[in-house]
């Protein structure tokens, strides 16, 4: 398994090292100088988050006014490295009261060093769950005065949480009222030709849950998945085309989901963590019903003028409605003057993004 990091650096916008941790001895402690010289001073920070300099790879991400830089000298798992950075920032925010910036790092040097020792070992990520780490790293960080998030009290029985089979949920939870909230957030990505034909279309979605349940509940989630709805024999005995089923292409589950049961029974069974979490992510490429149809017409009136006519039609049923609809029409950067005629809503020209924004 490729490593995720040989060293990690936290830098401010000037390039000064706020804090760093070396996990392997295959990189030197002065590697951050190469990052400052070849990337920060040449103003190439926004071009690509992965760079190779002198046999070492640099992965960097900006969070607030802090650059987090990961250095490796061998073949590395890039997606694992960036996932580690995202989870580590979420962990630091949980300790710092929701803030992660240069001041938060300077006020919590000792706590950050202790967390960096726990969340990665010899370049391999370990447990990054805030709920579990707070059980045995009980030191409280210096909280931001602008944070409205209340401080969480540590819970005993840390050994069971770290070594048990259900490490994401502690025992002994009791609620007067058991509640489960579920939200499905989907994003439709569409590419159409100038003639109106669909070139590429896919839907990416995620299921967010918020659970306040007592004990150790075992939940099951039913989906109208093409595989999960029917047995294999029933699928083979009838035509494959059907409007009642949806075929999921790529699915990613939270660690609480029982994958063995999903592979055998095609049901999403899980013991949920306490509070809010992302249960699963998925992608769909077939059978996508588009919510809108956009019909643009562009005419060039001479060398310095153009006329854009945009029609938006809703495709969904009459009982449904859309909120916050925004249409952005890109225009040339040299645009000096615009005029609008809209049938509903309002429109304006935004020169910062070179677009006509119709709300």
């Amino acid at each position: 398994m490729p490593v995720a990091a040989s060293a990690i650096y936290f830098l401010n916008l000037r390039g000064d090292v706020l804090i760093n941790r070396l996990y392997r001895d295959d990189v030197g402690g002065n590697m951050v100088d190469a990052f400052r010289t070849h990337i920060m001073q040449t103003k190439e920070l926004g071009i690509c988050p992965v760079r190779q300099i002198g046999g070492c790879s640099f992965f960097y991400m900006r969070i607030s006014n802090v650059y987090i830089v990961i250095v490796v000298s061998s073949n590395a798992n890039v997606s694992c490295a960036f996932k580690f950075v995202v989870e580590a920032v979420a962990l630091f925010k949980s300790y710092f009261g929701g803030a992660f910036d240069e001041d938060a790092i300077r006020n919590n040097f000792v706590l950050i060093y202790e967390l960096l020792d726990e969340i990665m070992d010899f370049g391999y990520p370990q447990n990054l769950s805030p709920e579990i780490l707070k059980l045995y790293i009980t030191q409280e960080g210096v909280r931001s005065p602008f944070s409205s998030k209340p401080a969480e009290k540590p819970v005993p029985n840390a050994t069971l949480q770290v070594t048990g089979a259900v490490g994401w949920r502690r025992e002994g939870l009791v609620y007067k009222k058991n509640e489960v909230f579920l939200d499905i957030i989907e994003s439709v990505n569409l590419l159409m030709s100038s003639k109106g034909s669909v070139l590429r279309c896919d839907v990416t979605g995620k299921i967010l849950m918020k659970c306040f349940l007592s004990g150790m509940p075992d939940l099951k989630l039913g989906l109208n998945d093409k595989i999960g709805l029917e047995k294999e024999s029933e699928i083979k005995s009838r035509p494959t085309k059907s409007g009642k089923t949806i075929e999921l292409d790529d699915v990613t589950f939270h660690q609480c989901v029982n994958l063995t049961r999903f592979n055998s029974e095609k049901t999403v069974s899980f013991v949920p963590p306490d509070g809010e979490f992302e249960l699963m992510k998925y992608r769909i490429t077939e059978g996508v019903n588009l919510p809108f149809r956009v019909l643009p017409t562009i005419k060039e009136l001479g060398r310095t003028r153009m006329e854009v006519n945009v029609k938006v039609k809703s495709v969904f049923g009459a009982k449904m409605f859309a909120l916050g609809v925004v249409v952005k029409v890109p225009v040339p950067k040299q645009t000096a003057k615009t005029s609008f005629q809209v049938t509903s809503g309002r429109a304006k020209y935004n020169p910062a993004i070179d677009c006509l924004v119709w709300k």
Side-chain angles (χ1 to χ4, degrees), residues 291-311:
F292 300 100
R293 284 191 65 87
V294 181
L295 305 175
T297 303
I298 300 176
K299 296 181 180 179
E300 294 186 7
L301 306 177
R303 298 180 59 184
T304 60
R305 295 180 58 204
M306 61 182 297
E307 179 181 296
V308 180
N309 185 11
V310 180
K311 295 182 180 179

Side-chain angles (χ1 to χ4, degrees), residues 52-122:
Q52 283 190 330
I53 302 173
C56 290
S57 300
F58 293 81
F59 316 139
Y60 58 93
M61 180 183 299
R62 177 176 174 177
I63 307 294
S64 185
N65 58 353
V66 176
Y67 284 106
I68 302 178
V69 183
I70 287 181
V71 185
V72 291
S73 63
S74 58
N75 185 23
N77 191 331
V78 181
S79 59
C80 180
F82 282 115
K83 180 66 174 178
F84 170 79
V85 172
V86 173
E87 295 293 335
V89 171
L91 173 64
F92 295 147
K93 287 183 177 180
S94 67
Y95 272 93
F96 305 158
F100 180 79
D101 50 20
E102 182 177 353
D103 294 334
I105 293 177
R106 293 186 183 277
N107 295 332
N108 296 276
F109 276 132
V110 178
L111 178 58
I112 293 177
Y113 273 119
E114 189 173 359
L115 290 173
L116 290 177
D117 287 337
E118 293 292 340
I119 61 180
M120 180 168 284
D121 183 22
F122 199 61

Side-chain angles (χ1 to χ4, degrees), residues 205-250:
K206 58 183 178 180
I207 298 180
L208 303 178
M209 295 192 67
K210 183 180 291 185
C211 297
F212 303 103
L213 301 174
S214 303
M216 301 288 286
D218 189 4
L219 305 184
K220 288 186 179 181
L221 179 66
L223 301 173
N224 58 339
D225 191 297
K226 182 178 180 180
I227 304 178
L229 252 179
E230 308 166 59
K231 298 179 180 178
E232 295 182 1
S233 58
E234 296 178 355
I235 294 178
K236 295 179 180 179
S237 62
R238 67 169 189 83
T240 56
K241 293 185 178 180
S242 175
K244 297 182 181 180
T245 59
I246 298 176
E247 184 173 0
L248 303 179
D249 294 330
D250 302 322

Side-chain angles (χ1 to χ4, degrees), residues 123-142:
Y124 298 97
Q126 306 297 311
N127 197 338
L128 287 97
S129 174
E131 293 79 10
I132 297 177
L133 288 171
K134 286 184 179 181
L135 298 180
Y136 55 95
I137 300 181
T138 57
Q139 177 182 347
E140 294 186 2
V142 178

